[in-house]
Amino acid sequence: MEFSNDLLRRYRDDRRKLLEFLLSSGLIKEITAPTDIEFDHLSADYVLECIQSGGVLDVSQAIRRYHDESSHPIAMHLQSGDVFHLLSGTESAGSPPRRVAPSIPLNRKAKESDFVERNNFPGPTYPAAERSHISSQEAGINYQENTIPCAKSLDNKLTHSVGLPNLRTGLRDDDLRETAYEVFLACMLFSGLEIQTTEGRKREKSSKFLSGLKNRKEKRHIESAPIESHLKVLDTIRLQMQISEAADAFIRRRLTQFVMGKVCAQIDVPQLSLVLLTGLLRSDFPSEKSYLHWKCRQVNIFEELVRSDHMKTEKEMIEESLAKIKNSKFFFLLSYGQEWDMKMSSSQRRDVLLNLRQVALAFSSIPGRFGIEGETYYWTSGYHLNIRLYEKLLFGLFDVLEESQIIEEAEEILKLVKLTWSMLGITERLHHTLFAWVLFQQFVTTEEAILLDHAIREVKHVLSADVKDDKEVSYMRSLTCPTVGIECETRFDLLQSIFFSISLWCDSKLQDYHLYFSQNSSFFERVLTMGLSTGTQDFIPHRNTQFTGYFLPNDVVTQKMRVYIEKTQYAACRRAIDFAIGSMNGKMHPLAILASELKQIAEKDLSIFSPVLRRWYPECAMISAKMLHQLYGERLKPFMKDITSITEDVRKVLPAAYGLECCLIELYSSACEENNSHYSRGFERYQIAEISKPFILDWVVAQCEKILEWTGRAFDLEDWEPLSVQQKHAASAIEVFRIIEETVDQFFQWSLPMDITHLQALLSIIFHSLNTYLLKVISQLVEKQKLYPSTPPLTRYKEATFPIIKRKVAGSSITDHEIYKELDELTSSKLCIRLNTYRYIQKQIAILEEGIRKSWESVASNRIDRYSTERTPATLEPTDVNGESVSELFVATLDCIRDSAAQGIQKTSEFLGAKVVFWDMRDSFLSYLYYGGVEGNRIEAVLPQFDKVLNDVCSVIDDTIRDLVVSNIWRASLEGFMWVLLDGGPSRAFSDSDTVLIEEDFNMLKELFIADGEGLPRSLVEEEAKFYRQVLSLFSLQTQSLIKKLISSSQNMSAGVNSYKKGPRYVGDTHTLLRVLCHKRDKEASKFLKKHYRFPASSEYDETAVESSSFGSPFVADILKRGASFSWSEKSHSSFRSITKKFQQVSWK
């Protein structure tokens, strides 16, 4: 129970373990040892010298050297041997000072206060009632360091002892441990258990002892020959109590001899000491010193129990008899005790022991005070020694090699330890109390959580025990433990004193749980349980001093919990403030640092401490949040009053303050939800939102102009070349989105309260930026209608029989060179990059929207107004002043951008198809096909170029829009094919036999786009070709049938041929039928056209004259002259499946 010698005990244990390891490790070649080795009496220096020299270790020499060294002070290893250590310098120390020590100067602290005031950063202020509770040590203040103290580990010592009466004879810790083992053996023996092995059993050698100590865990599983269970447990106890085999052997032998000649079935501790003194001699011990020490211990044990308030004559007789045995006059000499062993005869020694035995019997015959069964006089008179002895037995349950572990045989040992209850005055409730105390001490030393769990379990046994025996209650109250307090000495009983000591230690940690449990959160709940279990019990009055609970148990718990929380928060806040003051380096404002530190405190409260504390005190989170909120608010308000513009300090302090408030709100609301209380009653919001809102809007407006400027610059530098094989879109689009994403990140990095107005402003600048970019891209396209050639004049077929003067088909020239230049710059590959860029914008819009939505949800979840008393349903979205919701904002902005990109894809893909057919292939397709006749100018010569164009396009275009682009090229190809048939000019006329060849060419073109199932779906190709196939079928009709259809269709026309305007064409319309007749190689058709329409003959026109123009095409000259240009019906089409391969070149026969 005393802790002054705890360090010495640990040193001795470690020294013994080291020597045991050295002797058993094989480092020493040979050991000349007696039957037993007393490790406490071996010289460690001598053993190390033997290891270094490789010589033989003589155990007797090691013992002799140990005794020689113990008679001198600790000296350094010098040849002279005259340098040794003292606690102080004897020559220079002089006499002790008589004046009072001066107080600690506060100059440095005053200087720091001046520094804080100059920087407008007030220090901590606490209520006067609480200032006395917060010492600098509790708050963890360290003005020399600029780092906040990290979490501490639990102290490995208790701050308060139980307070048992002191041992008057100076018994040491080892004396109590050895005596406890002797008591244990005696109780086993008098209980009828065998403690001595059978005769002839050999004693284990020293090396076997050591190996058994090292490998005891392994031996538990591979035990040798079976022996009786209690003997195995007894051997384990011997090892745990660190009793040598020699001492164990002669103690067992002497107790066995004593029991064989006795009839009584009970013995007490004083009689046990006399029995051992009577039966053991000097020859039973390995050395003189060990014998004298053992004898002195037995005398002190006897004296401790029988020397009390007795008659003067008995007291003098006891002192005289004990003095003869101990001979204290020569106590510190190795030769002391010779008067007892050599000068006194055996009869004299017997008379002295007989006198002491009579005294011991007299005391043993005194009945117990409370009439408990088995109670002896020594239960109350010697309880201070009995409790210490029982405690030593309980400490034997912990592994000597791993103090944090309880040995496997603990349950069996506890059953045997119960045998000592009658001798030591232990009851079941007292056993649970002492066992809880021992477990708790071991937990404090080792910080092993399982030990604290066991201790809590034992405490619950104590508190839940239904004690109905008033005698036991009176007995427990008689075991008093005086405790020195601040003003007076208080007397507790043993149970109260143990609980008081445990509670004090727990309180010291729980009153600053942030410091001690932030990194050991698993301990927090256990320590809190233990502290409340032992600290909220009523105290029993003793004499003039009385401790009773002033409140009901629940009120006591509430009061203690509130003290824990308030003192912890005060200490944590002071550390945070000191850290913020010490970190004034100009980079971060102290208020921002303080907010960050307080936020960490609140987060730990929310995640670690509040879930545990609220089991006993539901309002714990409210108290913590309100304290932190008030403390920081007092320092933030003066700063916010001086804000007139956005400065660097404002940008750092306001987000940090808002982050702290959001965390405190979450902490506070967690308690409100459990208690169904109103949030608004607990907090007075910081006015951060009112100050920051206009500043954020001004920043967004300023960003809009910058983004538009950067977007225009990126577009001007665009060359519409792919970035890489994987990135086949424009670099300018990537740059635009990079700028937008940076702006979005900066927007949400404000970490300030925002409403839907801010979101509306952000989406607005995104919309304007992307819309401006899309308009710039679309504006570079030339109008699609400028790609088509002008409609040539309608003629009737007639072969020239004699030379005539021919007219030119088109006489106009190119006047707009800029359009021609633009068309040449809009190559197919660059148009594909534009299409990919549109698609990239669509994809990035989806990613951008998802990111903005998630960030906004995070911002919205932290908005303070969502905790107002009048809460809106969770399904309703926040709206702006015009009633526009968040979803509507995204629809009005980002969805519009998606639609614009889709329109750009459609327009560009249509332009690409038309440009490929009517501009890029104007010579190879429009000018060549069927020019001057069908047989010599078939489509076979054109298909390879079609195939090349399709391959080039498909290698660049994005897979998701490939079918759309190819389908537009297919439509343009159909339009070009029909242009040749219907608007091909005077040089094209088709007979009935040509119709078969034209149909073959048409099917070959169709199969090219189908590409054996790897191209466009056949159903789509057939659907698009349906109308054109019907037009082609008109050439197969008889001339009379066509004339009848034309006459029938003409009746519906209100004007002549020249009044035709552009519009959807259908098979039966007048213009289509008329053009079929014009290009039909038939005399009857020619006569009809001449008679009714007076069309000139085709032989009157010369198309070759146009070929000499600078553009090298008969149609380039008319490209800018748009007459009644044709237009085919446009139909919607479903999405096509992706093309998985490039178009394969079709082999034509």
Side-chain angles (χ1 to χ4, degrees):
M1 308 293 277
E2 299 296 334
F3 300 97
S4 58
N5 295 326
D6 183 66
L7 184 62
L8 178 61
R9 178 180 65 82
R10 294 177 62 86
Y11 163 74
R12 288 178 177 176
D13 293 342
D14 294 341
R15 183 181 183 277
R16 187 180 298 111
K17 295 172 186 176
L18 175 61
L19 288 173
E20 292 172 353
F21 171 74
L22 292 175
L23 296 182
S24 62
S25 61
L27 298 175
I28 301 175
K29 296 181 179 180
E30 183 180 355
I31 302 176
T32 59
T35 56
D36 181 48
I37 298 178
E38 192 71 35
F39 292 101
D40 290 338
H41 297 159
L42 294 181
S43 171
D45 291 337
Y46 176 76
V47 173
L48 294 176
E49 290 172 3
C50 291
I51 293 175
Q52 292 176 352
S53 61
V56 178
L57 189 147
D58 187 353
V59 176
S60 60
Q61 178 64 23
I63 296 174
R64 190 179 303 108
R65 182 157 172 187
Y66 169 79
H67 292 303
D68 292 340
E69 292 173 349
S70 63
S71 61
H72 301 286
I74 301 175
M76 298 179 65
H77 294 284
L78 300 177
Q79 294 182 355
S80 60
D82 56 356
V83 179
F84 54 90
H85 300 283
L86 293 177
L87 296 178
S88 62
T90 56
E91 297 179 356
S92 60
S95 59
R98 296 180 180 179
R99 55 181 166 79
V100 180
S103 58
I104 300 176
L106 300 176
N107 295 335
R108 179 177 60 183
K109 197 168 185 180
K111 292 180 180 179
E112 291 196 358
S113 299
D114 295 339
F115 176 76
V116 171
E117 292 177 1
R118 288 197 304 270
N119 287 272
N120 193 24
F121 186 68
T125 57
Y126 301 106
E130 298 295 342
R131 290 174 186 169
S132 60
H133 297 291
I134 309 176
S135 64
S136 60
Q137 182 178 2
E138 289 175 340
I141 301 174
N142 189 345
Y143 290 96
Q144 296 178 350
E145 298 181 2
N146 288 334
T147 58
I148 194 166
C150 60
K152 291 185 178 180
S153 61
L154 301 177
D155 295 339
N156 59 358
K157 61 180 180 179
L158 290 166
T159 57
H160 189 271
S161 63
V162 171
L164 282 172
N166 295 328
L167 296 172
R168 293 162 293 186
T169 56
L171 288 168
R172 299 179 301 174
D173 203 61
D174 289 342
D175 297 334
L176 296 174
R177 175 173 46 79
E178 294 169 0
T179 302
Y181 182 71
E182 293 169 355
V183 169
F184 179 74
L185 287 179
C187 291
M188 283 188 63
L189 192 61
F190 277 90
S191 298
L193 298 178
E194 181 65 39
I195 64 172
Q196 185 71 294
T197 58
T198 58
E199 295 295 334
R201 184 181 178 190
K202 296 181 179 180
R203 296 182 179 180
E204 296 176 352
K205 299 296 183 180
S206 174
S207 61
K208 186 176 180 181
F209 171 82
L210 295 175
S211 62
L213 188 63
K214 285 181 58 181
N215 304 321
R216 174 159 37 84
K217 288 186 175 181
E218 289 79 1
K219 287 178 65 179
R220 291 169 184 164
H221 303 289
I222 50 173
E223 199 64 52
S224 59
I227 58 176
E228 297 181 12
S229 61
H230 68 275
L231 290 178
K232 290 194 293 185
V233 175
L234 185 58
D235 188 57
T236 301
I237 295 175
R238 180 186 65 79
L239 294 174
Q240 290 294 115
M241 301 291 288
Q242 304 177 27
I243 306 297
S244 65
E245 285 194 22
D248 178 57
F250 65 70
I251 293 173
R252 294 192 191 192
R253 184 176 66 253
R254 176 61 189 126
L255 290 177
T256 303
Q257 293 173 356
F258 175 74
V259 172
M260 291 176 62
K262 296 292 293 181
V263 181
C264 66
Q266 189 174 4
I267 191 173
D268 49 39
V269 178
Q271 294 183 53
L272 176 61
S273 298
L274 293 177
V275 168
L276 296 176
L277 282 171
T278 303
L280 297 179
L281 302 175
R282 166 65 184 82
S283 58
D284 294 322
F285 294 85
S287 65
E288 180 74 19
K289 186 174 182 179
S290 62
Y291 166 67
L292 295 177
H293 173 75
W294 176 85
K295 184 176 65 173
C296 182
R297 175 173 63 82
Q298 299 296 341
V299 173
N300 289 336
I301 291 293
F302 184 87
E303 182 180 2
E304 190 70 41
L305 290 174
V306 301
R307 186 178 179 181
S308 57
D309 297 333
H310 309 104
M311 295 179 64
K312 184 176 181 180
T313 55
E314 293 179 352
K315 188 174 183 179
E316 292 177 353
M317 184 270 292
I318 294 173
E319 291 178 352
E320 181 180 355
S321 300
L322 294 177
K324 290 180 181 179
I325 301 176
K326 187 165 56 173
N327 195 2
S328 59
K329 181 179 179 180
F330 306 99
F331 182 74
F332 293 100
L333 299 178
L334 291 177
S335 59
Y336 85 87
Q338 292 181 357
E339 179 179 354
W340 173 261
D341 293 296
M342 298 182 181
K343 296 182 179 180
M344 294 181 64
S345 62
S346 59
S347 60
Q348 291 176 331
R349 293 195 297 270
R350 189 164 46 252
D351 291 340
V352 172
L353 294 175
L354 181 60
N355 292 334
L356 294 177
R357 184 176 294 108
Q358 291 176 352
V359 173
L361 291 174
F363 282 122
S364 299
S365 63
I366 299 175
R369 290 174 52 187
F370 303 103
I372 302 175
E373 183 179 357
E375 180 188 2
T376 65
Y377 166 77
Y378 299 108
W379 279 25
T380 52
S381 64
Y383 73 91
H384 62 294
L385 178 61
N386 294 338
I387 297 301
R388 287 181 169 93
L389 294 178
Y390 192 73
E391 189 181 31
K392 292 301 174 186
L393 291 175
L394 294 178
F395 271 116
L397 299 176
F398 303 103
D399 198 320
V400 293
L401 298 180
E402 298 180 19
E403 295 182 344
S404 62
Q405 302 298 321
I406 298 177
I407 60 176
E408 295 180 1
E409 300 89 344
E411 292 186 5
E412 300 178 20
I413 293 177
L414 281 176
K415 292 178 181 179
L416 296 178
V417 167
K418 286 185 178 181
L419 299 177
T420 64
W421 286 12
S422 59
M423 181 184 291
L424 300 179
I426 306 298
T427 63
E428 184 173 1
R429 194 177 187 212
L430 185 56
H431 160 76
H432 289 304
T433 304
L434 294 175
F435 196 22
W437 172 238
V438 168
L439 288 166
F440 186 77
Q441 292 180 76
Q442 205 70 7
F443 158 73
V444 172
T445 303
T446 63
E447 296 189 11
E448 181 63 37
I450 190 65
L451 298 180
L452 184 57
D453 291 336
H454 290 314
I456 294 174
R457 190 178 301 113
E458 295 299 320
V459 169
K460 289 181 178 179
H461 283 308
V462 176
L463 299 178
S464 61
D466 186 13
V467 183
K468 298 180 180 180
D469 191 353
D470 295 336
K471 298 178 181 179
E472 182 179 350
V473 174
S474 301
Y475 169 64
M476 293 285 289
R477 291 180 180 178
S478 68
L479 307 180
T480 57
C481 300
T483 301
V484 178
I486 299 176
E487 299 179 355
C488 62
E489 179 178 315
T490 305
R491 298 185 65 190
F492 297 133
D493 62 39
L494 181 60
L495 187 150
Q496 294 170 346
S497 182
I498 289 176
F499 278 17
F500 182 69
S501 298
I502 295 175
S503 178
L504 280 182
W505 185 91
C506 294
D507 287 348
S508 66
K509 305 300 175 288
L510 293 172
Q511 288 177 6
D512 196 355
Y513 50 76
H514 271 289
L515 183 64
Y516 291 102
F517 300 105
S518 291
Q519 296 181 356
N520 296 322
S521 57
S522 60
F523 288 163
F524 177 64
E525 183 177 0
R526 296 179 172 95
V527 173
L528 181 60
T529 302
M530 177 63 84
L532 295 178
S533 299
T534 58
T536 57
Q537 305 302 316
D538 292 339
F539 292 95
I540 307 299
H542 288 283
R543 296 186 181 179
N544 296 328
T545 306
Q546 180 176 345
F547 278 75
T548 56
Y550 292 99
F551 308 98
L552 295 174
N554 289 338
D555 295 331
V556 175
V557 172
T558 300
Q559 184 188 31
K560 288 181 71 69
M561 293 291 292
R562 192 176 184 91
V563 170
Y564 292 158
I565 296 169
E566 290 179 351
K567 289 195 173 184
T568 294
Q569 297 301 335
Y570 284 141
C573 290
R574 167 159 285 184
R575 285 192 295 271
I577 292 174
D578 292 336
F579 176 70
I581 294 174
S583 301
M584 288 182 179
N585 52 12
K587 296 181 180 179
M588 288 289 292
H589 195 280
L591 281 174
I593 300 174
L594 179 60
S596 176
E597 297 300 326
L598 295 181
K599 183 179 179 182
Q600 293 182 17
I601 295 173
E603 288 173 346
K604 291 178 181 178
D605 275 331
L606 182 63
S607 61
I608 298 176
F609 301 114
S610 291
V612 177
L613 293 171
R614 67 170 59 122
R615 299 177 188 174
W616 290 274
Y617 190 37
E619 295 82 9
C620 61
M622 294 183 180
I623 295 178
S624 298
K626 289 172 67 175
M627 290 180 64
L628 295 175
H629 191 270
Q630 180 179 358
L631 180 138
Y632 189 75
E634 293 173 355
R635 289 151 181 80
L636 180 64
K637 288 180 181 178
F639 176 83
M640 295 178 65
K641 288 181 180 179
D642 298 333
I643 296 178
T644 57
S645 62
I646 290 293
T647 63
E648 195 64 27
D649 286 341
V650 173
R651 291 206 60 170
K652 292 178 180 179
V653 172
L654 289 187
Y658 180 65
L660 170 63
E661 188 170 38
C662 290
C663 186
L664 294 178
I665 288 171
E666 186 178 2
L667 177 62
Y668 191 91
S669 62
S670 64
C672 292
E673 292 174 0
E674 288 193 1
N675 301 331
N676 295 322
S677 58
H678 294 293
Y679 162 78
S680 58
R681 298 177 182 175
F683 272 83
E684 181 182 355
R685 296 186 323 173
Y686 302 149
Q687 300 300 312
I688 298 176
E690 290 76 4
I691 294 176
S692 63
K693 181 176 180 178
F695 293 139
I696 298 176
L697 290 176
D698 292 343
W699 177 86
V700 174
V701 172
Q703 292 300 309
C704 182
E705 183 178 353
K706 294 179 181 179
I707 294 175
L708 291 176
E709 180 183 353
W710 294 335
T711 301
R713 187 184 307 166
F715 183 82
D716 293 339
L717 297 175
E718 182 56 62
D719 57 0
W720 301 108
E721 294 294 334
L723 290 174
S724 64
V725 178
Q726 292 77 22
Q727 293 180 311
K728 298 177 182 180
H729 44 265
S732 58
I734 297 178
E735 181 65 16
V736 169
F737 273 97
R738 185 190 65 79
I739 296 170
I740 292 175
E741 289 170 357
E742 287 183 358
T743 304
V744 172
D745 291 340
Q746 293 173 7
F747 176 81
F748 288 108
Q749 283 174 1
W750 279 88
S751 301
L752 289 172
M754 299 179 184
D755 55 27
I756 196 170
T757 306
H758 297 98
L759 179 62
Q760 187 178 19
L762 176 65
L763 294 178
S764 177
I765 65 172
I766 294 175
F767 171 78
H768 286 299
S769 302
L770 293 176
N771 190 57
T772 301
Y773 180 81
L774 288 172
L775 290 176
K776 287 178 177 290
V777 176
I778 296 175
S779 66
Q780 287 188 335
L781 295 179
V782 178
E783 291 184 11
K784 179 183 174 182
Q785 297 303 324
K786 293 183 180 182
L787 294 173
Y788 298 115
S790 60
T791 305
L794 295 178
T795 61
R796 55 185 175 82
Y797 171 75
K798 182 178 181 182
E799 293 182 2
T801 58
F802 51 88
I804 60 174
I805 299 176
K806 297 185 177 182
R807 292 176 291 178
K808 296 181 179 180
V809 173
S812 61
S813 61
I814 296 296
T815 59
D816 195 346
H817 294 277
E818 291 298 326
I819 295 178
Y820 177 75
K821 183 179 178 181
E822 290 177 6
L823 287 173
D824 278 352
E825 289 179 353
L826 293 173
T827 62
S828 297
S829 62
K830 291 186 177 182
L831 289 173
C832 289
I833 298 301
R834 280 175 164 81
L835 289 167
N836 291 342
T837 302
Y838 291 130
R839 184 58 186 150
Y840 172 78
I841 291 174
Q842 288 180 326
K843 294 177 181 177
Q844 289 302 115
I845 282 291
I847 297 174
L848 181 64
E849 179 179 356
E850 182 181 2
I852 294 176
R853 283 185 180 272
K854 287 183 178 180
S855 299
W856 183 252
E857 288 174 2
S858 177
V859 169
S861 64
N862 290 331
R863 289 178 60 196
I864 299 177
D865 58 358
R866 76 185 183 95
Y867 293 103
S868 60
T869 305
E870 297 179 359
R871 300 193 180 188
T872 58
T875 56
L876 297 181
E877 290 186 305
T879 59
D880 66 355
V881 294
N882 298 321
E884 190 174 16
S885 67
V886 172
S887 299
E888 291 174 346
L889 278 180
F890 282 101
V891 171
T893 54
L894 300 186
D895 283 3
C896 288
I897 297 298
R898 289 191 185 92
D899 295 340
S900 298
Q903 293 173 5
I905 292 175
Q906 184 64 35
K907 184 175 181 180
T908 305
S909 62
E910 290 176 358
F911 180 83
L912 173 61
K915 182 179 180 297
V916 166
V917 175
F918 290 95
W919 183 261
D920 296 341
M921 298 179 65
R922 59 188 181 274
D923 293 334
S924 59
F925 183 38
L926 298 182
S927 299
Y928 168 79
L929 187 65
Y930 307 146
Y931 183 80
V934 175
E935 292 185 0
N937 300 290
R938 298 282 299 275
I939 203 169
E940 290 179 348
V942 183
L943 291 179
Q945 188 171 353
F946 264 113
D947 186 61
K948 182 180 182 300
V949 170
L950 293 175
N951 284 334
D952 293 341
V953 170
C954 292
S955 64
V956 178
I957 203 70
D958 187 271
D959 291 342
T960 58
I961 58 175
R962 183 176 297 174
D963 286 352
L964 176 63
V965 174
V966 173
S967 63
N968 278 288
I969 297 176
W970 167 236
R971 293 190 189 98
S973 302
L974 291 174
E975 290 178 0
F977 194 87
M978 286 298 106
W979 187 92
V980 171
L981 296 181
L982 300 181
D983 292 321
S987 61
R988 290 177 172 88
F990 310 107
S991 64
D992 293 339
S993 60
D994 292 335
T995 304
V996 177
L997 299 178
I998 293 173
E999 289 183 355
E1000 291 180 359
D1001 290 348
F1002 186 80
N1003 290 331
M1004 284 190 288
L1005 181 62
K1006 181 181 65 175
E1007 292 298 328
L1008 174 67
F1009 283 88
I1010 296 175
D1012 294 335
E1014 299 296 332
L1016 294 176
R1018 182 175 293 274
S1019 59
L1020 173 64
V1021 174
E1022 293 289 354
E1023 182 66 25
E1024 293 291 340
K1026 186 176 180 180
F1027 167 75
Y1028 300 97
R1029 186 177 293 279
Q1030 292 174 357
V1031 174
L1032 185 59
S1033 66
L1034 294 176
F1035 286 93
S1036 301
L1037 295 177
Q1038 295 294 326
T1039 303
Q1040 289 297 329
S1041 298
L1042 287 173
I1043 292 174
K1044 290 180 180 180
K1045 288 181 175 290
L1046 177 60
I1047 294 174
S1048 176
S1049 176
S1050 298
Q1051 293 177 355
N1052 298 324
M1053 294 182 62
S1054 59
V1057 176
N1058 293 332
S1059 66
Y1060 170 74
K1061 296 181 180 180
K1062 177 186 173 184
R1065 189 186 295 273
Y1066 58 95
V1067 176
D1069 70 66
T1070 303
H1071 299 284
T1072 301
L1073 295 171
L1074 187 60
R1075 279 166 172 75
V1076 172
L1077 286 173
C1078 290
H1079 291 86
K1080 194 171 180 61
R1081 189 188 296 266
D1082 184 79
K1083 292 181 180 182
E1084 186 177 356
S1086 179
K1087 290 180 181 180
F1088 175 79
L1089 294 174
K1090 181 180 180 180
K1091 178 180 179 181
H1092 293 279
Y1093 293 96
R1094 297 181 181 182
F1095 285 165
S1098 60
S1099 57
E1100 297 179 8
Y1101 286 86
D1102 184 12
E1103 296 179 280
T1104 59
V1106 186
E1107 296 178 0
S1108 62
S1109 66
S1110 60
F1111 297 97
S1113 173
F1115 306 105
V1116 175
D1118 298 325
I1119 196 71
L1120 299 175
K1121 187 178 180 181
R1122 309 303 181 199
S1125 181
F1126 69 94
S1127 177
W1128 311 107
S1129 59
E1130 299 177 355
K1131 302 179 181 179
S1132 330
H1133 301 284
S1134 59
S1135 300
F1136 312 131
R1137 66 176 184 270
S1138 299
I1139 301 176
T1140 59
K1141 295 181 180 179
K1142 293 183 178 180
F1143 286 93
Q1144 301 176 353
Q1145 185 172 358
V1146 180
S1147 298
W1148 307 103
K1149 296 181 181 179

